[in-house]
Amino acid sequence: MKSLFKGIVWGLIAVLFFTTNGWGFGRKKVVRVGINAPITGDIPKVGEGTKYAARMWLEDIENAGGIEVGGKKYPVELVIEDNEAKAESAVKANTKMITEDEVLVIVGPQSSKQAVPAGDVANNYETPMITPWSTNPDSTKDRPFVFRGCFLDPFQGPVLANFITEEFGFTKTAVLYDVASDYPKGLAEFFKQSWEKIHGPGSVVAYESFTTKDTDFSSQLSKINKSGAQVLFTPQYYNEVALIVQQAHELGWTGPIVGSDSWGSAETVTLCGKDCYGLFFSSHYAAAGAQGATKEFIERYEKKYGYTPDDVAALTWDSLRLVQTAIENSGKLTGKIKKDRRAVRDALAKIKNFKGITGDMTFTEEGDPIKCAVIVRISDKGEYEFYKSVCPN
Amino acid sequence: MDLFLQNIVNGLQWGSFYALIALGYSMVYSILMLFNFAHGDVFMVGSYIGFGVATALLGLAAMSGIPLPGWFILILTIIFTMFITSFVGVFIERVGYRPLRDAPRASAAITGLMIGIILETGNLAILGARRLSFPQLIESTTYQFGGVYVTDKKILIVGVSLGLMFLLHRFIQKSKWGMAMRAMSFDFQAVPLMGISINRIAPLTFAIGSALAAAAGILYGLAYPVLDPYMGILLGWKAFVAAILGGRGSILGAALAGFLLGFIEIFVAWVFPSTLRDVIAYSIILLILTFRPHGFFGQAHSTQLRL
């Protein structure tokens, strides 16, 4: 309720801002950036990180007196829409922002569940959209106007298989995943493929699954324990990670447990506690031990909002900076929204070696960045520590 | 062999929750002849109340500087939470079922569904979508017997569940109130003429059922420490299956069927691919019901219910 209330308040503020500003500067001269985020719904923490990162970015722009295009400075407005973590609401939010608010570019939605359908809308209306966190290939596939700020699931699979092989020298692995959810299911398959490519068929000694909302994994984990697996891979979300890891330990599992970027939420350690210390997962960035611009961002965010930003906030920040670079590079804003959108899209596609806080990025034809993954170790204090960087070759 | 024994242990723990929750369904059915579909959500509420009580007690212990041992806090938490949650049950009976006692069956049957939704969304509105982590009151130590791993939490969960079932059995068989409940379940029209009011027996039944669900909620919190407002739905449905399987209105049947359900789920996931667990598990139960339509201890005549 609180977050809903907050969402309404921010919506009103955005509307107020929009109308009052309209009188002062004239409608056509303002750059409007749409944010499509899950402010309420299942993953409110993700929406919060998105909103906070966007507000920090806007602050920077305002301090600079606006965004500079072709020697002229334009004020920027954020239009923040709540997608309630639902696919249909994300589509509605995108349609509204494109047709009514006339945004130049959209950042979001975050999860693939919303980004895949919402990307279709943006592409049909020829409005550039960049999803910071969606790792599903379909979000950007055959959509020239849709980009993303992170790597893809098919990349994460081999990264983790290689990492486990090199780091531990293991040859037998077990996988436990949710068969009813697209992200874990897809990633489990990619991981299995790459593992078998390295170690041959039969090297995945246990390939066990469960269904969303299950809480007892004792049967699957007992089986995994006896299978002779040396490591357990489980690409699950934070609430399940806590249960799986604790139950595995209670059933006598002593080997490492490895996860994917869905572990990256700040909630994982809160729910899992000491059981998760010392475990590894692949992610977009690591907060502890960060350097340079990344460190600056983290410190600023911590000071402002009181907690360490997770990967969503960092990726949103990078996406907004990408958008900013593209707008600045577009040469000239004509005020004709369709033309300007196309110019921004072209500028975005041309970006090379962008220095982001989550790594360097260059966009491919599909609008996916070529960037490195980070292997994170959960430290003995429960912090996400940078362990190793793995780049595509 | 190790794996077999390990899965017996796993099944005992998982079945305990079904059994404790199924008891509540069965008891209410034997008195009112309808199932309280909000019961799974009473379990959820119990778990959250347990969370609140445990957190408060831990805070109190820390503030007063008295180092209370975890097991002591756990016992207090179970007692307080069962007590508080029993009033939730009484409240549900009072506002949900009593006004509709003479209403058509269908109306009374859906009351529980509505109350369940109110409890879930009410919780969501008050506490938000964030998952809560149940405090770990006792350190979990793992013991190894041969190749079988048992934690003290597992022993505690199964022990407390069996203990509570035994107490319930004694209460129903030996106490005056228990006798009144049994009488009511035989004939709810004649017994009120003997001076036993249904307006007393029904709330008592709801109170006991809810207290058991609350105990299940706390034990569940210990074993699976991630709480969310919808945690009671699936577990509630499955426990309902157990209540039917045990024979409507049968206490012993509900308890046994609860454990059986736990075993079936665990063993199916062991023998078959785990993806097919619920498909196979519930096909087996369907098959059992085909041959024993009244469950294990149920009887064909609904007026002769056993408590």
Side-chain angles (χ1 to χ4, degrees), chain B residues 28-271:
Chain B
V28 169
Y29 185 84
S30 67
I31 302 295
L32 294 180
M33 304 273 291
L34 49 83
F35 286 104
N36 171 22
F37 284 113
H39 198 57
D41 297 296
V42 173
F43 156 80
M44 178 273 291
V45 169
S47 196
Y48 271 84
I49 291 176
F51 171 83
V53 171
T55 315
L57 285 175
L58 282 173
L60 220 62
M63 235 166 52
S64 61
I66 309 164
L68 290 174
W71 58 266
F72 186 67
I73 293 184
L74 180 63
I75 293 172
L76 286 182
T77 305
I78 294 180
I79 293 170
F80 283 141
T81 308
M82 285 177 77
F83 185 70
I84 298 170
T85 315
S86 65
F87 285 99
V88 175
V90 173
F91 182 73
I92 290 175
E93 195 274 337
R94 187 69 193 82
V95 302
Y97 286 92
R98 196 178 296 182
L100 290 165
R101 200 172 288 151
D102 298 320
R105 287 277 102 169
S107 307
I110 62 161
T111 324
L113 292 180
M114 294 184 289
I115 292 172
I117 294 170
I118 292 169
L119 289 177
E120 288 152 20
T121 45
N123 182 342
L124 202 61
I126 297 166
L127 293 172
R130 214 176 139 256
R131 308 286 201 278
L132 292 179
S133 173
F134 200 90
Q136 292 305 294
L137 297 168
I138 45 170
E139 277 290 315
S140 159
T141 332
T142 308
Y143 306 102
Q144 196 183 352
F145 304 102
V148 182
Y149 293 87
V150 182
T151 56
D152 40 9
K153 265 197 263 175
K154 279 202 166 96
I155 299 170
L156 181 98
I157 288 165
V158 178
V160 171
S161 306
L162 291 175
L164 285 171
M165 285 170 210
F166 178 72
L167 282 179
L168 178 69
H169 178 76
R170 297 289 292 181
F171 174 79
I172 285 171
Q173 294 301 328
K174 303 283 168 187
S175 75
K176 227 165 87 181
W177 285 104
M179 205 189 291
M181 284 167 74
R182 276 186 292 150
M184 192 69 83
S185 75
F186 269 104
D187 194 329
F188 66 94
Q189 276 164 333
V191 169
L193 300 176
M194 313 287 167
I196 303 169
S197 167
I198 185 140
N199 284 347
R200 288 189 160 190
I201 298 299
L204 178 68
T205 315
F206 270 87
I208 295 173
S210 304
L212 290 174
I218 296 169
L219 298 176
Y220 187 89
L222 287 179
Y224 314 102
V226 180
L227 308 187
D228 84 285
Y230 298 103
M231 63 194 262
I233 300 178
L234 199 61
L235 215 64
W237 286 349
K238 290 182 172 177
F240 173 57
V241 171
I244 297 282
L245 190 65
R248 290 167 301 176
S250 164
I251 293 285
L252 182 66
L256 282 179
F259 280 109
L260 181 76
L261 202 61
F263 281 122
I264 291 180
E265 280 195 13
I266 297 281
F267 277 87
V268 165
W270 170 38
V271 179

Side-chain angles (χ1 to χ4, degrees), chain A residues 208-209 215-216 219 223 250, chain B residues 10 153 220 224 266 269 274-275:
Chain A
E208 295 294 321
S209 63
T215 51
D216 185 89
S219 189
K223 227 162 143 181
E250 283 173 8
Chain B
N10 296 343
K153 265 197 263 175
Y220 187 89
Y224 314 102
I266 297 281
S274 33
T275 315

